[in-house]
Amino acid sequence: RVPGKLGGVWLFKGTRVPIKTLFDYLENNYSLDEFLECFPSVTGGMAGRVLELSQSELLRPLTLGESHFTVTP
């Protein structure tokens, strides 16, 4: 058992809301405020931190030996 995971899915800390749900909402053109209204156990700070970490990871330079990934529409 891994704290912060349920069935192998990462959750927002102290909630049963999968982090993937945030990205699903944003991908489907919902605003962050709409997501937060639907999931009041997730704070704006929690969601913002997930987005910041995702951004920093995606914009991080690759190191020697790492493979790249391709983004497709």
Side-chain angles (χ1 to χ4, degrees):
R1 185 172 178 171
V2 177
K5 276 188 156 184
L6 179 66
V9 175
W10 288 108
L11 305 174
F12 283 96
K13 186 176 183 174
T15 76
R16 294 180 63 91
V17 179
I19 289 174
K20 182 181 181 314
T21 304
L22 170 61
F23 292 101
D24 290 343
Y25 266 64
L26 296 174
E27 189 175 275
N28 286 291
N29 297 315
Y30 288 95
S31 70
L32 180 57
D33 287 335
E34 289 171 312
F35 170 81
L36 295 172
E37 285 176 25
C38 290
F39 300 96
S41 61
V42 177
T43 67
M46 293 163 72
R49 185 70 180 133
V50 165
L51 295 173
E52 288 171 7
L53 289 170
S54 298
Q55 178 186 19
S56 65
E57 186 62 23
L58 287 169
L59 298 179
R60 167 182 71 78
L62 295 176
T63 58
L64 186 63
E66 279 187 300
S67 60
H68 70 283
F69 62 91
T70 304
V71 177
T72 57

